[in-house]
Amino acid sequence: MRYLLRILSVALCLLIWTGNSPSAESLNFVIIQPGQPGTTQEAQPVMDALAAYLQQRLPANVKVAGSYYNVLADALDFVHANRPRWGIVSLGFYAQFVENLQMTPIASTRPGGFSKSILRLAVGKDAPDNWRDLRGTVFGSMLFAPELAACELFGYQARQLPFKLAGTFQPLKSLRAVGKGSETGLVVDRLQYQSMQSLPVAKAVKIIQTTKELPTSPVVWFGDPDDQSENLSKTLTAMRDDPDAASLLKILQTDGFGPPDPDLKRLRLDASNASCRP
């Protein structure tokens, strides 16, 4: 009888101890921007700064850590092996893997203060005005998901185009090559187009194809949203009005976060054959 009472006493103490010491909940994240410059190691201090900011504003039992990937294969390996709770991903990554990775948009980014992006095809001044007459390779810093650019810019699958689409880590170098006529073309996003207007090379290129407005990189939740995702969304949205977040937002190249873009619902590529969907 004494032995049974001792077991019950130990069990009760363990129950009380565990009830008063809740285990930490992971809110690890990943930022995935295939084709962007830099390395995972170079970006880690920024990930740590964002994690520290969120750590101070979320419940005490939530632990936050972040990682950055700009190579598609490495990003996919990380997501499958580590199962992050949320992330900020490129539009092309979202469109291609939204269903496979069960991504649900919970917020939007605002790079350069814009809530929408636009893709433009830049070619040399002496190049054809019709994209159907182009040959060779068209580069783009976001073209590690070339299917999205193909569908949005041209309305065709990438393999149906008369030229090849390829990603580049050096869009400025490619732009100069396009201006000289040694490369076929370059796809630029809204910020890149805005930046190139002040460069001498802008006089050597022309824009021959433009998309309608597209969503910016979304903030996504992996799996079904819950109370944690709602708290995170509110915290991210509040950063825009928080003076303590100003320097961090500048490093992240956004002026804050907004509600998820409803246009994301139509951006779903069939990953099995990269077909365009209406």
Side-chain angles (χ1 to χ4, degrees):
M1 184 67 176
R2 289 181 179 177
Y3 179 72
L4 179 59
L5 289 174
R6 187 177 302 169
I7 292 177
L8 290 173
S9 176
V10 171
L12 182 60
C13 289
L14 285 173
L15 182 63
I16 293 173
W17 182 81
T18 55
N20 289 334
S21 302
S23 59
E25 293 186 56
S26 168
L27 202 60
N28 292 346
F29 67 91
V30 61
I31 294 182
I32 300 174
Q33 298 289 330
Q36 293 301 307
T39 67
T40 295
Q41 293 73 25
E42 291 170 345
Q44 195 56 49
V46 180
M47 303 302 101
D48 293 342
L50 177 57
Y53 175 89
L54 295 173
Q55 188 80 66
Q56 295 175 356
R57 288 157 178 80
L58 293 168
N61 66 320
V62 173
K63 302 302 178 185
V64 188
S67 301
Y68 169 86
Y69 289 93
N70 61 354
V71 177
L72 178 58
D74 294 343
L76 289 172
D77 288 344
F78 176 83
V79 172
H80 287 303
N82 296 276
R83 306 304 302 174
R85 300 299 305 280
W86 65 283
I88 302 174
V89 302
S90 71
L91 189 61
F93 185 90
Y94 172 84
Q96 191 168 359
F97 299 105
V98 54
E99 294 174 356
N100 182 266
L101 297 180
Q102 295 182 299
M103 292 184 282
T104 303
I106 61 170
S108 62
T109 56
R110 293 177 51 84
F114 296 112
S115 59
K116 291 284 189 180
S117 185
I118 295 175
L119 299 182
R120 294 177 171 90
L121 173 58
V123 298
K125 286 288 187 181
D126 296 328
D129 291 329
N130 192 321
W131 62 264
R132 292 175 175 83
D133 297 324
L134 299 177
R135 299 295 183 269
T137 301
V138 170
F139 291 94
S141 63
M142 44 63 65
L143 291 181
F144 282 93
E147 294 81 10
L148 178 68
C151 289
E152 294 299 324
L153 266 171
F154 312 111
Y156 289 91
Q157 297 176 32
R159 63 175 178 267
Q160 296 173 313
L161 300 176
F163 47 83
K164 180 182 177 182
L165 292 174
T168 175
F169 284 100
Q170 298 177 306
L172 181 56
K173 181 180 179 181
S174 289
L175 183 63
R176 289 172 178 155
V178 168
K180 294 177 181 178
S182 57
E183 287 185 6
T184 302
L186 178 72
V187 174
V188 293
D189 61 23
R190 192 170 202 161
L191 285 181
Q192 290 168 337
Y193 175 74
Q194 189 178 50
S195 298
M196 72 182 247
Q197 298 307 301
S198 62
L199 301 175
V201 70
K203 298 179 181 179
V205 300
K206 60 185 177 183
I207 303 298
I208 64 169
Q209 194 75 3
T210 303
T211 67
K212 57 187 173 184
E213 288 191 324
L214 299 169
T216 55
S217 294
V219 181
V220 300
W221 188 261
F222 294 100
D224 295 327
D226 54 19
D227 291 342
Q228 246 190 350
S229 64
E230 185 175 352
N231 287 337
L232 172 64
S233 179
K234 291 179 180 178
T235 303
L236 290 173
T237 303
M239 289 179 71
R240 192 175 179 183
D241 299 318
D242 183 1
D244 292 337
S247 60
L248 180 56
L249 290 175
K250 187 175 182 179
I251 295 173
L252 292 171
Q253 297 183 329
T254 179
D255 77 340
F257 298 88
D261 193 319
D263 286 344
L264 286 167
K265 294 178 181 178
R266 71 174 183 84
L267 291 177
R268 278 167 165 74
L269 295 171
D270 186 342
S272 63
N273 63 12
S275 65
C276 300
R277 293 187 181 180

